[in-house]
Amino acid sequence: MNDREPSVSPRVSPRVSPAGPPPSVTPSPVTRRGGARPTRRQVLATTAAVAAMVPLAGCSSATTRTEDASDALLALADAARSDAALVVAAVTGDPSLAGRLEPLRAARMEHAAALDQAGGRTPGQIAAPATPPSGDLAAVRDAVAGSARSAGEVVPRASALQVGLVAEVAACCATYAAVLAGAPA
């Protein structure tokens, strides 16, 4: 034997009988750590029960969301008409703004009509907003920025069908607020 090579003893493994370990060593399903294991049927039944509850929970809250959002949609419609009136006042004060602000006024009037319909208001129920005494570009910018924030706050309460409209209103208002922020006043 070489002095540099360590001696290796053969490894002895415990002998296990072909029948397996003695009964006292085999854990029973009840005494396993963590309790009894559920059967496949129990797992499938539990999964099916949970899966059946999820859509039902969504249905019960959808009615509440729609009712809560109707008032908010009507408030957004009123804000849209107010923004359009503010645009008219700004253009009256400075007619050179007409080319830049007329598309915003038209969009806000379209928003008002769509939001009224989504909120359940009929055209005969709409009161004309009071025209602001004066308006300028900064006032229009601040108003549409506020409308964008308000629309964003309505999204969590809106139904799936209403979210698209509210998101469109928020995006349009936020875009105009950003564009008008870069415009000279």
Side-chain angles (χ1 to χ4, degrees), residues 59-79:
C59 290
S60 64
S61 66
T63 304
T64 305
R65 288 178 61 177
T66 303
E67 290 171 4
D68 291 344
S70 293
D71 291 338
L73 292 175
L74 296 178
L76 290 176
D78 293 341

Side-chain angles (χ1 to χ4, degrees), residues 15-109:
R15 185 172 178 148
V16 178
S17 73
S24 63
V25 177
T26 306
S28 70
V30 177
T31 60
R32 284 188 180 162
R33 191 172 25 155
R37 294 176 67 175
T39 65
R40 183 176 176 199
R41 278 192 184 166
Q42 290 171 331
V43 170
L44 291 174
T46 303
T47 304
V50 170
M53 284 188 242
V54 171
L56 294 177
C59 290
S60 64
S61 66
T63 304
T64 305
R65 288 178 61 177
T66 303
E67 290 171 4
D68 291 344
S70 293
D71 291 338
L73 292 175
L74 296 178
L76 290 176
D78 293 341
R81 273 188 287 287
S82 177
D83 291 350
L86 189 59
V87 167
V88 170
V91 170
T92 302
D94 185 0
S96 67
L97 297 174
R100 293 191 326 201
L101 295 181
E102 178 54 30
L104 172 61
R105 188 203 61 76
R108 295 304 282 149
M109 289 308 294

Side-chain angles (χ1 to χ4, degrees), residues 139-165:
V140 171
R141 178 184 59 236
D142 293 343
V144 294
S147 294
R149 283 189 301 277
S150 296
E153 293 169 0
V154 172
V155 170
R157 296 185 313 222
S159 70
L161 296 174
Q162 297 166 338
V163 167
L165 174 62

Side-chain angles (χ1 to χ4, degrees), residues 159-185:
S159 70
L161 296 174
Q162 297 166 338
V163 167
L165 174 62
V166 175
E168 177 185 341
V169 169
C172 179
C173 291
T175 301
Y176 269 105
V179 168
L180 294 177

